[in-house]
Coordinates of all heavy atoms in Angstrom, one line a residue:
E229 N 21.0 -33.4 -38.9 CA 20.3 -34.6 -39.6 C 21.1 -36.0 -39.4 O 20.6 -37.1 -39.2 CB 20.2 -34.3 -41.1 CG 19.3 -33.2 -41.4 CD 17.8 -33.5 -41.1 OE1 17.4 -34.6 -41.3 OE2 17.0 -32.6 -40.6
V230 N 22.4 -35.9 -39.5 CA 23.2 -37.1 -39.3 C 23.0 -37.7 -37.9 O 22.8 -39.0 -37.8 CB 24.7 -36.8 -39.6 CG1 25.5 -38.1 -39.3 CG2 24.9 -36.3 -40.9
K231 N 23.0 -36.9 -36.9 CA 22.8 -37.4 -35.6 C 21.4 -37.9 -35.4 O 21.2 -39.0 -34.7 CB 23.0 -36.3 -34.5 CG 24.5 -35.9 -34.3 CD 24.7 -34.8 -33.4 CE 26.0 -34.2 -33.5 NZ 26.3 -33.0 -32.7
I232 N 20.4 -37.3 -35.9 CA 19.0 -37.8 -35.8 C 18.9 -39.2 -36.5 O 18.4 -40.1 -36.0 CB 18.0 -36.9 -36.5 CG1 17.9 -35.5 -35.8 CG2 16.7 -37.5 -36.8 CD1 17.0 -34.6 -36.4
Q233 N 19.6 -39.3 -37.7 CA 19.6 -40.7 -38.4 C 20.3 -41.7 -37.6 O 19.8 -42.8 -37.4 CB 20.2 -40.5 -39.9 CG 20.0 -41.7 -40.7 CD 18.6 -42.1 -40.8 OE1 17.7 -41.3 -41.3 NE2 18.2 -43.3 -40.4
T234 N 21.5 -41.3 -37.0 CA 22.1 -42.3 -36.1 C 21.3 -42.8 -35.0 O 21.2 -44.0 -34.7 CB 23.5 -41.7 -35.6 OG1 24.2 -41.1 -36.6 CG2 24.3 -42.7 -34.8
R235 N 20.6 -41.8 -34.3 CA 19.7 -42.3 -33.2 C 18.6 -43.1 -33.6 O 18.4 -44.2 -32.9 CB 19.1 -41.0 -32.5 CG 20.2 -40.2 -31.7 CD 19.8 -38.8 -31.5 NE 18.6 -38.6 -30.7 CZ 17.9 -37.5 -30.7 NH1 18.3 -36.5 -31.6 NH2 16.9 -37.3 -29.9
I236 N 18.1 -42.9 -34.8 CA 17.0 -43.8 -35.3 C 17.5 -45.2 -35.6 O 17.0 -46.2 -35.4 CB 16.3 -43.1 -36.5 CG1 15.5 -41.9 -36.1 CG2 15.3 -44.1 -37.1 CD1 14.8 -41.0 -37.0
T237 N 18.8 -45.1 -36.2 CA 19.4 -46.4 -36.6 C 19.8 -47.2 -35.3 O 19.5 -48.4 -35.3 CB 20.7 -46.2 -37.5 OG1 20.2 -45.4 -38.6 CG2 21.3 -47.5 -37.9
E238 N 20.3 -46.6 -34.3 CA 20.6 -47.2 -33.1 C 19.3 -47.9 -32.5 O 19.4 -49.0 -32.0 CB 21.2 -46.2 -32.1 CG 22.6 -45.7 -32.3 CD 23.6 -46.7 -31.8 OE1 24.0 -47.6 -32.5 OE2 24.1 -46.6 -30.7
Y239 N 18.3 -47.1 -32.5 CA 17.0 -47.5 -32.1 C 16.6 -48.8 -32.7 O 16.3 -49.9 -32.1 CB 15.9 -46.5 -32.2 CG 14.5 -47.0 -31.9 CD1 14.1 -47.1 -30.6 CD2 13.6 -47.4 -32.8 CE1 12.8 -47.7 -30.1 CE2 12.4 -48.0 -32.5 CZ 12.0 -48.1 -31.2 OH 10.7 -48.5 -30.8
R240 N 16.6 -48.8 -34.2 CA 16.2 -50.0 -34.9 C 17.1 -51.3 -34.6 O 16.7 -52.3 -34.3 CB 16.3 -49.7 -36.4 CG 14.9 -49.6 -37.0 CD 15.0 -49.7 -38.5 NE 14.9 -48.4 -39.1 CZ 15.9 -47.7 -39.8 NH1 17.0 -48.3 -40.1 NH2 15.6 -46.6 -40.4
N241 N 18.4 -51.0 -34.5 CA 19.4 -52.1 -34.3 C 19.5 -52.6 -32.9 O 19.5 -53.9 -32.6 CB 20.8 -51.7 -34.8 CG 20.8 -51.5 -36.3 OD1 19.9 -51.9 -37.0 ND2 21.8 -50.7 -36.7
K242 N 19.5 -51.7 -32.0 CA 19.8 -52.2 -30.6 C 18.6 -52.2 -29.6 O 18.6 -52.9 -28.7 CB 21.0 -51.3 -29.9 CG 22.3 -51.4 -30.7 CD 23.3 -50.5 -30.2 CE 24.6 -50.6 -31.0 NZ 25.5 -49.5 -30.6
T243 N 17.8 -51.2 -29.9 CA 16.6 -51.0 -29.0 C 15.4 -51.7 -29.3 O 14.7 -52.3 -28.4 CB 16.3 -49.4 -28.8 OG1 17.6 -48.8 -28.5 CG2 15.3 -49.2 -27.8
L244 N 15.1 -51.8 -30.5 CA 13.8 -52.6 -30.9 C 13.7 -54.0 -30.4 O 12.7 -54.4 -30.0 CB 13.6 -52.4 -32.4 CG 12.2 -52.5 -32.9 CD1 11.2 -51.5 -32.2 CD2 12.2 -52.2 -34.4
P245 N 14.8 -54.7 -30.4 CA 14.8 -56.1 -29.8 C 14.3 -56.1 -28.4 O 13.8 -57.2 -27.9 CB 16.2 -56.6 -29.8 CG 16.8 -55.8 -31.0 CD 16.2 -54.5 -30.9
V246 N 14.3 -55.0 -27.6 CA 13.8 -54.9 -26.2 C 12.2 -55.1 -26.3 O 11.7 -55.7 -25.3 CB 14.1 -53.5 -25.5 CG1 13.6 -53.5 -24.2 CG2 15.7 -53.4 -25.5
A247 N 11.6 -54.7 -27.3 CA 10.2 -54.9 -27.5 C 9.8 -56.4 -27.5 O 8.9 -56.8 -26.8 CB 9.6 -54.2 -28.7

Side-chain angles (χ1 to χ4, degrees):
E229 292 292 322
V230 177
K231 288 178 190 173
I232 290 177
Q233 189 56 55
T234 307
R235 284 157 70 203
I236 293 176
T237 305
E238 287 278 88
Y239 173 78
R240 251 196 257 117
N241 293 342
K242 297 181 186 164
T243 305
L244 209 46
V246 178

